[in-house]
Amino acid sequence: MEASLPRSIARTLGVTLLAVGLWFPAAVSANGLSGAYLAARQASYVGDYEAAAKYYNQALFHDPANPQLLERAVLANISLGNLDRAVELGQRLVNTGERSQIAQIALIAGEAKREAYTEILSRLRDDLGVGPLIDGLAEAWAEMGRGDMSAALVAFDEMSEQRGLEGFALYHKALALSSVGDHESAEAIFDSDSVGAMRMTRRAVIAQVEILSQLERNDDALKLIDTAFDKGIDPGIDQLRKRLEQGEQLPWTAVSGARQGIAEVFYTLAAALSNEADDDYTLLYSRVAEYLRPDHVDAILLSADMLERLEQHDLAVATYKRVPRDHPAYHAAELGRADALRADGKVDAAVEVLESLAETHGNLAVVQSTLGDLMRQLERYDDAVKAYDRALALFDTPEPTQWFLYYARAISHERQGNWPQAEADFRAALALNPEQPQVLNYLGYSLVEKNEKLDEALGMIERAVAARPDSGYIVDSLGWVLYRLGRYEEAVGHMERAAELMAIDPVVNDHLGDVYWSVGRKLEAEFMWKRALSFVDSEVASDEVDPERIRRKLEVGLDRLLAEEGAPPLKVANDNGG
């Protein structure tokens, strides 16, 4: 019943998990059992943990000792955050004689919650653990929990000798040392290179900052915090910086004891897996961290993010809401909640969340810019401009990171027809980030569409293509500006490349038709216009394409249409057929 987590990080960490398959005993006779099972399996397949837990519970009513049902029920309940129920079901599963790593996760969590550290040690020594990383760290923290700090340090050191686990082991050893007041030894670990990449995680930096402050080294703590974080981005970090500047000695808050230490073990693994493993695996570990330490806001946010990625928007919203209003990360939780609401189609609720957040946390540029982004996506461009105005006003001096605010505000102005303001903002964005391909392309393309400054537009778009040669939109822009400059033969290759990259985009197909016409390839031009029309009526339709204009080109040709529109005629082209 065991299988390895199919990811490189899992192999490095030595983590294995049970892969819950779709097999079920063939001899299913009771309608209640089969119906509940099928409903549970479907819910599991789509990641609906709430429904899965409900239906597996119903199935277990009919077959309470079925190990497959028990294991899937444990998995669903951990994912849902119902750890007490998962612990109960995990014990029932173990009682059947089955070896299940999913069950062991639940049982270790339950024992840590009860601070039954001797039971954890017995379980691990009977080879009933989860994997080398969790087992090794949990053993060390459990030794500390039962009062044997010497044994705990030995366990951390032994684990640090395992390939690939040194950084994790020493990081947790430092946390353990500081939790008993030995900040000097903890700082010696942090100050070495042995902790590796773990040292520069947000939680590790905060832990070391608190250690330095405890050692009355606030100046060093400030240097560390300024090296690791920009100002004005993270309210929690800004609060720490302010307290250090005022000479306050920061208390030690990272880990207060063995139970919180084991919570940190599960969070450490969840954070390590978050960009490597499947989201549903990562969720298991962050849920355990939440269970063992309900105030672990980083674990709550990670769980919510995993649920959002898994498109469990209601659960994500509920999880984000658990972050207290007075916590420094409250704004991050509300931004996540708004995103989950919008993804769930609850746009009005998302707007309400962001507008409320703009009132309480309006001094954060990210809040105003996120509100602006949503308003822009909803085509409420005037509201978007106002939000971007407020975001930009929060900066005392120009900074490179502001380029996107100018760029987004420029788009909002352009969509309202305020071209002078839009062009000024595009150019302000380029002043901060001169080679930004999105800005170069948007401004260059807009100038082409307005038939203004075409030589400059060409230069901008060529730079954008050099930066993003596989971007269909940008390659299309290059072909289009060459067409507008009358360099038809040069335009063909670029437009054909754009059509390869974006085969079903109506704008690109329409443009390629015009370019083909301009070089005398009229049958191919008509074919591309017809393709463009076929996509205008599909789900990928674009508001940048006028289907009636395309139909008119098919009726009378591009030359006559341009004459009807009072536009300059095409330059004389060689007749290549058609």
Side-chain angles (χ1 to χ4, degrees):
M1 294 181 64
E2 297 180 0
S4 296
L5 184 64
R7 300 282 179 169
S8 60
I9 186 70
R11 289 194 295 270
T12 300
L13 300 180
V15 177
T16 54
L17 279 176
L18 176 67
V20 179
L22 297 180
W23 177 85
F24 188 69
V28 177
S29 57
N31 289 335
L33 174 58
S34 60
Y37 166 73
L38 291 173
R41 188 175 73 172
Q42 176 62 23
S44 296
Y45 179 75
V46 300
D48 187 345
Y49 304 120
E50 194 164 13
K54 172 185 174 182
Y55 289 119
Y56 280 128
N57 285 339
Q58 290 182 10
L60 284 168
F61 178 80
H62 296 281
D63 191 359
N66 185 297
Q68 285 77 30
L69 290 178
L70 284 167
E71 186 160 62
R72 295 178 184 186
V74 173
L75 180 63
N77 278 282
I78 294 177
S79 302
L80 189 59
N82 289 343
L83 267 294
D84 287 332
R85 175 63 172 164
V87 171
E88 174 195 343
L89 294 169
Q91 188 60 59
R92 284 169 55 183
L93 175 56
V94 168
N95 291 343
T96 69
E98 294 287 342
R99 292 179 66 89
S100 165
Q101 290 169 318
I102 295 292
Q104 298 307 327
I105 290 173
L107 293 177
I108 289 174
E111 289 158 356
K113 184 80 167 182
R114 293 186 287 108
E115 300 190 274
Y117 301 116
T118 300
E119 293 179 32
I120 291 176
L121 291 170
S122 296
R123 179 178 305 285
L124 297 177
R125 286 162 186 169
D126 289 339
D127 195 25
L128 297 174
V130 178
L133 179 64
I134 286 183
D135 295 353
L137 293 176
E139 178 185 355
W141 282 108
E143 291 284 15
M144 180 177 160
R146 71 184 187 119
D148 194 340
M149 189 64 182
S150 296
L153 295 178
V154 169
F156 282 126
D157 288 339
E158 289 179 349
M159 185 181 171
S160 71
E161 296 174 0
Q162 296 185 48
R163 183 178 179 181
L165 302 184
E166 180 183 21
F168 294 99
L170 293 179
Y171 169 63
H172 277 266
K173 181 181 179 181
L175 297 182
L177 288 166
S178 273
S179 71
V180 295
D182 189 355
H183 300 299
E184 289 187 3
S185 297
E187 170 55 18
I189 292 174
F190 273 116
D191 197 39
S192 70
D193 295 329
S194 302
V195 180
M198 285 293 301
R199 181 185 176 191
M200 292 311 295
T201 64
R202 183 180 185 278
R203 289 185 68 80
V205 171
I206 292 174
Q208 189 178 5
V209 163
E210 290 181 351
I211 289 169
L212 289 168
S213 186
Q214 284 287 303
L215 294 172
E216 299 182 351
R217 293 171 55 186
N218 276 17
D219 288 345
D220 291 333
L222 278 168
K223 290 177 183 177
L224 174 60
I225 216 167
D226 287 339
T227 299
F229 303 104
D230 292 329
K231 294 182 180 180
I233 303 297
D234 186 327
I237 297 299
D238 288 343
Q239 286 182 19
L240 289 180
R241 183 183 284 109
K242 182 177 180 180
R243 291 165 66 186
L244 290 167
E245 289 172 344
Q246 292 174 344
E248 179 181 343
Q249 185 177 60
L250 300 180
W252 171 252
T253 66
V255 172
S256 65
R259 184 170 74 182
Q260 288 191 2
I262 295 176
E264 200 65 25
V265 171
F266 281 92
Y267 175 77
T268 297
L269 181 54
L273 293 174
S274 61
N275 292 317
E276 294 282 343
D278 292 336
D279 297 330
D280 48 358
Y281 285 118
T282 303
L283 181 63
L284 297 176
Y285 298 107
S286 61
R287 283 301 204 189
V288 173
E290 292 179 63
Y291 174 67
L292 295 179
R293 187 172 180 179
D295 67 343
H296 200 313
V297 169
D298 287 339
I300 293 171
L301 291 174
L302 182 56
S303 292
D305 183 48
M306 294 301 104
L307 290 164
E308 200 174 343
R309 292 191 200 180
L310 291 162
E311 299 184 357
Q312 294 302 301
H313 303 302
D314 287 343
L315 288 176
V317 167
T319 305
Y320 280 125
K321 287 187 71 173
R322 289 175 44 212
V323 176
R325 184 178 292 270
D326 60 353
H327 193 278
Y330 175 74
H331 78 287
E334 288 295 272
L335 292 174
R337 186 160 73 97
D339 189 60
L341 287 166
R342 185 178 182 280
D344 201 27
K346 300 172 182 176
V347 177
D348 290 343
V351 171
E352 183 179 346
V353 168
L354 290 180
E355 289 181 334
S356 176
L357 189 62
E359 293 179 4
T360 60
H361 291 70
N363 62 327
L364 295 175
V366 66
V367 171
Q368 299 291 358
S369 64
T370 303
L371 177 60
D373 292 343
L374 180 55
M375 292 301 166
R376 178 166 52 87
Q377 291 159 11
L378 295 175
E379 299 183 1
R380 292 170 54 177
Y381 298 117
D382 186 56
D383 290 328
V385 167
K386 291 176 182 176
Y388 293 132
D389 286 345
R390 292 192 295 269
L392 286 165
L394 293 170
F395 293 90
D396 295 328
T397 57
E399 297 178 11
T401 56
Q402 295 175 45
W403 76 264
F404 185 81
L405 292 174
Y406 284 107
Y407 172 65
R409 190 173 69 177
I411 294 173
S412 302
H413 279 309
E414 185 264 337
R415 292 304 172 93
Q416 293 182 93
N418 300 328
W419 177 245
Q421 296 94 320
E423 183 177 4
D425 275 347
F426 282 130
R427 293 189 183 279
L430 286 178
L432 294 170
N433 195 341
E435 299 303 316
Q436 215 298 316
Q438 291 172 267
V439 184
L440 288 167
N441 180 61
Y442 205 120
L443 176 55
Y445 186 86
S446 298
L447 291 170
V448 172
E449 287 296 288
K450 295 180 179 300
N451 206 28
E452 298 177 4
K453 307 169 186 173
L454 294 181
D455 289 334
E456 181 187 20
L458 174 60
M460 288 180 177
I461 295 170
E462 286 177 334
R463 286 154 59 195
V465 170
R468 300 278 176 84
D470 293 326
S471 170
Y473 291 106
I474 297 177
V475 176
D476 169 75
S477 297
L478 179 54
W480 196 237
V481 70
L482 289 169
Y483 163 81
R484 285 295 185 88
L485 288 169
R487 295 160 61 175
Y488 305 135
E489 293 290 351
E490 292 178 64
V492 172
H494 297 295
M495 289 306 311
E496 289 177 336
R497 173 61 177 158
E500 290 176 4
L501 294 167
M502 303 177 62
I504 62 173
D505 185 88
V507 174
V508 172
N509 282 277
D510 183 36
H511 284 176
L512 180 54
D514 288 8
V515 170
Y516 277 153
W517 185 278
S518 71
V519 295
R521 297 164 62 176
K522 296 184 178 180
L523 288 177
E524 292 168 277
E526 291 172 358
F527 176 77
M528 298 311 302
W529 290 331
K530 289 175 182 177
R531 274 180 59 85
L533 278 178
S534 72
F535 298 134
V536 168
D537 296 328
S538 72
E539 293 181 359
V540 295
S542 168
D543 59 4
E544 297 179 16
V545 172
D546 181 354
E548 292 305 317
R549 188 174 187 274
I550 297 176
R551 292 188 182 98
R552 186 61 178 161
K553 284 190 284 190
L554 286 166
E555 289 173 3
V556 302
L558 180 57
D559 298 284
R560 183 169 171 182
L561 175 66
L562 292 175
E564 291 173 352
E565 293 176 340
L570 295 173
K571 295 182 179 181
V572 177
N574 294 325
D575 188 355
N576 293 332

